[in-house]
Amino acid sequence: MKASAFSYARATSVANAIELLAEHGERAKVLSGGQSLMPAMNLRLLAPELIVDIGSLDELRGVARREGLLSIGALTRHVDLQNDPDIATDAPLLREAIAHVAHPAIRNRGTIGGSLAHADPASELPACMIALNATIVVRGPKGERRIPAEDFFVGIYETLLSAQELLVTVEVPLLPPNSAHYFCEFARRQGDYAIVGLAAQAVVANHHLIDLRPVFFGLSDRPVRAQAAVQLVNTDITPGALSEVLQALGDELDPPEDQQANSAMRRHYAKVLLARCVAAFLSRPELSTGEVA
Ligand SMILES: Cc1cc2nc3c(=O)[nH]c(=O)nc-3n(C[C@H](O)[C@H](O)[C@H](O)COP(=O)(O)OP(=O)(O)OC[C@H]3O[C@@H](n4cnc5c(N)ncnc54)[C@H](O)[C@@H]3O)c2cc1C
């Protein structure tokens, strides 16, 4: 199928893009890498009257380190993140996660802003942003808004971004000392969207988890920060205690069912992932087995 007819505007600046979005509202769509927008238009799931192409706005591209954070421009492509030295040292979770996003051809064009604005619930980057405690910066006719990643995703392909706003930057705080990360996903094939995945960031000291931010994807209409995991912080973790937390995690989750997995299977995967994550953070392989109900 082909997309329905649309008009095309190449934005000349961020201000110009916002003007166009303000004028056309819901009838316009931003084009970044086009890796999700173009397939959706060709399938006629979306039929915008105007495409606002921001692809030549270089001010939205690249990673900069400043004042305790990494500032990542919305047009930074997946492949740029994968190769960036600051991402490798200061946000290694992102680097590891991006290797699971689709395939090289898609990572060569897809952008962080597009991925976050698209808000696919099985996507890796939204979950990473919550695990990393990132802030998403959006700009519109009324000025700039800074939205914690934890609040940004509100449903399937739904965020707090309005039709008049542009996602401009993502701010990722630099990691505290003794930080560790964990990333794992179950997918049918390498590069497929996850059936269930887990992105987690932690601070580990003296064999304890001083801080823990585990965020699941593919388990709900948006990324899910596991509340049950709070009980694992600042405590001695025995196999029995972990088993209780996994039970509480299962009670907390209400996973969807589709052609790839039913609800019970997704719940089971989530427990396996959390157990493996804790075992990896504490370097205690015995915790990764056995006690998953
Ligand atoms: C075969 C295939 C497999 C894929 N597998 C995965 C996968 O495993 N994991 C994964 O996470 N993704 C996957 N993707 C999606 C891919 O990562 C996309 O690149 C990404 O979702 C969107 O980035 P983009 O820059 O291409 O955005 P676009 O396609 O240009 O835009 C996506 C949406 O976001 C909006 N948008 C884009 N940029 C902005 C902005 N700056 N401000 C406001 N709104 C904006 C657009 O209007 C559109 O609605 C896959 C895609 C394909 C085609």
Side-chain angles (χ1 to χ4, degrees):
M1 251 157 70
K2 288 282 173 221
S4 43
F6 59 89
S7 303
Y8 171 90
R10 180 177 288 235
T12 53
S13 63
V14 169
N16 176 233
I18 292 167
E19 267 168 35
L20 290 163
L21 294 177
E23 190 182 335
H24 296 273
E26 301 281 354
R27 287 172 285 124
K29 274 280 174 197
V30 175
L31 174 67
S32 286
Q35 298 304 295
S36 296
L37 181 61
M38 297 320 294
M41 287 174 63
N42 286 340
L43 291 167
R44 305 255 173 139
L45 298 171
L46 287 175
E49 290 173 18
L50 175 71
I51 292 294
V52 179
D53 183 353
I54 61 168
S56 56
L57 303 183
D58 286 340
E59 68 252 54
L60 293 181
R61 220 179 284 285
V63 180
R65 180 200 281 260
R66 61 176 170 81
E67 293 157 23
L69 55 84
L70 291 181
S71 173
I72 308 173
L75 272 183
T76 310
R77 298 172 307 159
H78 300 320
V79 67
D80 302 324
L81 293 171
Q82 239 179 336
N83 295 332
D84 189 276
D86 284 330
I87 296 290
T89 51
D90 294 318
L93 173 67
L94 261 190
R95 184 183 154 96
E96 192 169 335
I98 283 169
H100 296 264
V101 174
H103 308 285
I106 290 156
R107 298 199 291 262
N108 284 342
R109 295 201 73 92
T111 65
I112 186 168
S115 183
L116 300 180
H118 187 56
D120 189 309
S123 182
E124 290 81 0
L125 298 194
C128 288
M129 290 306 147
I130 298 174
L132 288 165
N133 201 16
T135 299
I136 294 173
V137 184
V138 306
R139 214 176 288 164
K142 293 184 187 154
E144 198 161 274
R145 293 198 292 152
R146 308 167 61 75
I147 307 170
E150 193 145 3
D151 301 334
F152 186 72
F153 305 99
V154 295
I156 300 181
Y157 308 124
E158 256 189 87
T159 69
L160 290 183
L161 199 59
S162 82
Q164 285 83 17
E165 287 175 316
L166 195 63
L167 194 162
V168 286
T169 318
V170 182
E171 293 177 348
V172 177
L174 296 183
L175 297 172
N178 301 317
S179 287
H181 71 278
Y182 178 87
F183 184 90
C184 187
E185 72 177 42
F186 293 116
R188 285 207 180 264
R189 297 168 305 184
Q190 169 71 30
D192 281 4
Y193 276 104
I195 299 172
V196 176
L198 174 61
Q201 204 50 63
V203 176
V204 186
N206 299 323
H207 310 290
H208 284 82
L209 295 169
I210 307 302
D211 188 22
L212 177 63
R213 295 177 67 88
V215 184
F216 289 99
F217 48 102
L219 266 189
S220 177
D221 63 351
R222 67 195 84 179
V224 178
R225 186 162 171 204
Q227 295 308 321
V230 171
Q231 296 165 54
L232 296 167
V233 175
N234 276 323
T235 185
D236 290 325
I237 299 177
T238 61
L242 179 59
S243 180
E244 278 177 27
V245 168
L246 297 179
Q247 185 64 48
L249 175 71
D251 296 342
E252 174 186 331
L253 299 173
D254 183 17
E257 178 159 341
D258 59 24
Q259 303 94 318
Q260 300 215 72
N262 64 22
S263 187
M265 188 170 162
R266 279 199 162 86
R267 192 177 276 113
H268 178 74
Y269 279 161
K271 292 180 184 180
V272 169
L273 284 174
L274 187 61
R276 289 185 186 175
C277 167
V278 172
F281 279 145
L282 298 176
S283 304
R284 289 175 54 193
E286 82 279 7
L287 292 175
S288 69
T289 57
E291 297 289 330
V292 176

